[in-house]
Amino acid sequence: MAFKVVVNFDLCESNAICMDVAPELFEVRDDDFLYVLQDTPADDLREKAEAAADRCPKQAITLEDLASQQ
Amino acid sequence: MTSSVVIVGASLAASRCAAALRRGGHDGAITVINAEAHLPYDRPPLSKQFLSGEWDADRLPLLKPEQLTEFEIDWRMQTTATALDVDTRTVTLDDGSTVQGDHVVIATGAAPRRLPGTEGIAGVHLLRTLDDSTGLREELAARPNASVVVVGAGFIGAEVAATAATAGHRVTIVEAAAVPMERGLGAEMGAFCGSLHADHGVDLRLSTGVTGVRAGADGRIAAVELSDGTELVADVLVVGIGVVPSTAWLDGSGLTLDDGVVCNAHCEAAPGIHAAGDVARWPNERFGEVMRVEHWDNAVEQGIHVAKRILGEATEPFAPIPWFWSDQYEHKIQLAGRPKAGDLVEIVTGSMEERRFAAIYGDGERLTGVFGLNRPRHVMQYRRKLAEGVSWADALHFAEEARSGS
Ligand SMILES: Cc1cc2nc3c(=O)[nH]c(=O)nc-3n(C[C@H](O)[C@H](O)[C@H](O)COP(=O)(O)OP(=O)(O)OC[C@H]3O[C@@H](n4cnc5c(N)ncnc54)[C@H](O)[C@@H]3O)c2cc1C
Ligand code: SF4
């Protein structure tokens, strides 16, 4: 099922844990901000995205299913 | 896979383990024994945003409503495990019933130490559960400008002090050691963290013990007596003197208990029985050290690792790089690695004075840790270096290059 990666930037504190888990999806750059590299990634990245969401200490990452909207 | 799993404890390690089991295709029964009356919730905000009143309890759940439905977990709420039969993997519950599983996951975490002599005195608080935090929050809100005494300058004590001071209370921290958090941070960074309290008018009394507490006629805490002979007025007393792993229910089970459930390098305590989170002690082969880690990230990683073991996926030993954060006042403190007392410490970016820096630790041979104050990105950078197992010389060289390159 297609999905979207949503980061709540009010919660995110740029500690880059997600980048460690899924560097394809997340990058904390020199400006100390987190960038989502692909917000609707291919399905085979879902597991990594879920692992990143589980590991985010601020619970800032959510995955939304897109199927119902398509 | 249709084996059954019984998870004892219903917090962070348990939730992440159950989620990873379902995602990994486990379709057998998952039963979770939950001593508390709440579904799994996140503890870090209990000394921070929830305690301050900024967040309400609806921000705390660890599992989203759709996950609760999807995962089909058999929750045994307000039920305590009282015994484990290791051979048959049968858990006895406090209602007298039993649950048997092909796998048992011990995720009972840890519980705070009490300060002797405080039993039954109103206004004395421990902080571990949502109910604890709710009680403290209500009391602080009802007593503006209260005299708050915090015993213990560890992370919980420091965070409670920060939250209470920010809310306008008069806060004193009493710490028996000469340097706060020396075991985790080393002398230099421990002392530095202690110095942050003075910036905010919090009185930190080091090398000072509590010799007694005095209650008023109303049965409420009134004063705390210190080893230097002084007495502190206390409207509220918060005790943060460490935790003890919750293993009493395993006494006599035959499992090895030694400040935690002793496991092998795969977090296995006996065939089909794993432990994860604050309760687990295991040899972390990366550090050549048997450790028990009381950090959020460890409970998550270990819970997931145990799930993968049950799914038959994890073949490597569990050898993470410990990492934690602590939010105090406006500061974000982070530490990765396992620095030892006496390690060299080198500031690699920023400075203590500007309250924004990162420092690395090394034993002369290898990089052993990184500490960051308001420098999350640098902490993660060196965490990766720790994962690579770089030498101290290479870490210093990397720091030098980063400095001249930017
Ligand atoms: C106030 C506070 C703030 C924190 N802040 C941070 C932070 O900023 N950064 C960080 O890295 N870490 C932080 N931590 C630590 C982190 O929350 C813990 O490492 C984590 O909760 C450990 O999870 P766990 O699942 O192993 O155990 P726990 O969260 O301790 O949960 C164990 C559960 O098992 C239950 N239980 C115990 N015995 C039984 C039994 N016999 N039968 C059934 N159930 C039982 C308990 O009631 C409890 O609900 C904080 C902790 C607290 C308390
Ligand atoms: S792990 Fe969470 S808090 Fe950390 S950078 Fe990623 S989204 Fe932000």
Side-chain angles (χ1 to χ4, degrees):
Chain A
M1 204 187 292
F3 70 104
K4 188 170 160 46
V5 178
V6 181
V7 171
N8 181 340
F9 287 98
D10 290 338
L11 296 177
C12 171
E13 59 161 28
S14 302
N15 54 35
I17 286 281
C18 52
M19 179 174 163
D20 236 29
V21 179
E24 301 89 339
L25 299 177
F26 304 99
E27 184 180 349
V28 174
R29 296 200 184 136
D30 287 347
D31 59 8
D32 271 335
F33 283 109
L34 170 69
Y35 293 82
V36 179
L37 303 177
Q38 312 177 36
D39 45 4
T40 51
D43 261 1
D44 56 354
L45 282 171
R46 187 175 188 113
E47 208 176 307
K48 275 198 156 176
E50 279 170 345
D54 276 352
R55 288 280 299 283
C56 170
K58 301 292 159 167
Q59 312 220 46
I61 303 172
T62 40
L63 308 184
E64 286 174 6
D65 283 325
L66 291 176
S68 53
Q69 293 154 31
Q70 280 174 355
Chain B
M1 207 171 76
T2 50
S3 60
S4 55
V5 180
V6 179
I7 305 178
V8 187
S11 180
L12 186 57
S15 311
R16 294 301 191 248
C17 181
L21 280 170
R22 285 297 185 233
R23 284 185 193 139
H26 177 90
D27 54 17
I30 300 179
T31 308
V32 179
I33 316 302
N34 183 1
E36 296 190 50
H38 310 280
L39 284 167
Y41 56 87
D42 205 21
R43 297 192 197 279
L46 301 181
S47 50
K48 310 176 184 79
Q49 302 94 330
F50 179 78
L51 184 61
S52 71
E54 188 187 335
W55 288 10
D56 281 317
D58 59 0
R59 297 281 290 266
L60 305 180
L62 285 169
L63 294 170
K64 300 186 182 72
E66 60 274 18
Q67 291 178 315
L68 287 172
T69 318
E70 187 190 322
F71 293 164
E72 290 188 39
I73 293 167
D74 176 6
W75 298 99
R76 304 292 175 88
M77 304 290 288
Q78 287 178 277
T79 302
T80 303
T82 54
L84 171 66
D85 184 89
V86 168
D87 293 336
T88 61
R89 294 171 311 278
T90 304
V91 179
T92 306
L93 308 179
D94 60 353
D95 60 8
S97 65
T98 58
V99 200
Q100 196 273 337
D102 298 315
H103 297 273
V104 170
V105 180
I106 299 169
T108 44
R113 282 205 180 87
R114 288 172 187 282
L115 186 67
T118 56
E119 293 82 5
I121 301 179
V124 179
H125 298 263
L126 299 170
L127 184 53
R128 184 77 188 178
T129 65
L130 175 56
D131 296 346
D132 293 341
S133 183
T134 303
L136 179 58
R137 165 175 151 153
E138 284 170 359
E139 219 172 74
L140 290 174
R143 293 181 160 68
N145 201 24
S147 293
V148 178
V149 177
V150 177
V151 184
F155 288 105
I156 301 289
E159 290 184 359
V160 170
T163 302
T166 304
H169 300 289
R170 286 164 290 154
V171 183
T172 307
I173 308 176
V174 182
E175 166 62 53
V179 175
M181 300 175 280
E182 187 173 2
R183 202 168 53 101
L185 301 181
E188 206 174 338
M189 293 305 142
F192 171 77
C193 287
S195 75
L196 295 172
H197 297 295
D199 292 0
H200 297 84
V202 169
D203 183 4
L204 172 62
R205 310 274 182 97
L206 294 169
S207 308
T208 307
V210 172
T211 50
V213 294
R214 211 160 39 74
D218 56 356
R220 269 194 69 86
I221 184 77
V224 178
E225 296 152 10
L226 305 182
S227 55
D228 61 6
T230 56
E231 207 182 75
L232 296 172
V233 171
D235 301 319
V236 176
L237 178 66
V238 184
V239 178
I241 53 174
V243 296
V244 182
S246 302
T247 58
W249 68 284
L250 294 168
D251 283 345
S253 66
L255 294 182
T256 308
L257 306 176
D258 177 14
D259 183 34
V261 176
V262 179
C263 302
N264 67 17
H266 296 280
C267 313
E268 200 176 38
I273 301 174
H274 289 85
D278 283 14
V279 78
R281 176 175 289 283
W282 87 105
N284 184 331
E285 293 185 352
R286 185 192 296 274
F287 294 88
E289 184 190 335
V290 180
M291 50 175 81
R292 188 173 67 77
V293 176
E294 296 168 0
H295 307 329
W296 193 95
D297 190 52
N298 183 69
V300 172
E301 275 205 84
Q302 210 164 15
I304 293 172
H305 183 88
V306 166
K308 289 190 171 154
R309 287 272 302 168
I310 293 172
L311 292 163
E313 288 171 12
T315 48
E316 297 289 311
F318 182 62
I321 296 166
W323 173 83
F324 71 84
W325 83 96
S326 172
D327 298 340
Q328 300 170 24
Y329 309 102
E330 70 277 28
H331 302 302
K332 294 186 185 308
I333 297 168
Q334 293 181 308
L335 183 99
R338 199 77 176 167
K340 289 205 168 58
D343 277 1
L344 302 163
V345 186
E346 183 88 21
I347 292 183
V348 289
T349 181
S351 70
M352 288 183 175
E353 294 68 38
E354 64 189 287
R355 299 285 187 252
R356 189 160 183 255
F357 69 95
I360 56 175
Y361 301 80
D363 57 11
E365 201 180 314
R366 296 226 283 171
L367 177 71
T368 57
V370 53
F371 172 94
L373 184 79
N374 303 315
R375 287 284 191 183
R377 195 171 53 85
H378 290 82
V379 173
M380 280 307 128
Q381 221 167 41
Y382 285 97
R383 189 184 197 234
R384 278 193 287 279
K385 294 280 163 206
L386 282 162
E388 292 164 17
V390 302
S391 70
W392 179 236
D394 284 351
L396 288 176
H397 183 70
F398 173 78
E400 192 52 49
E401 281 197 327
R403 255 192 303 250
S404 54
S406 58

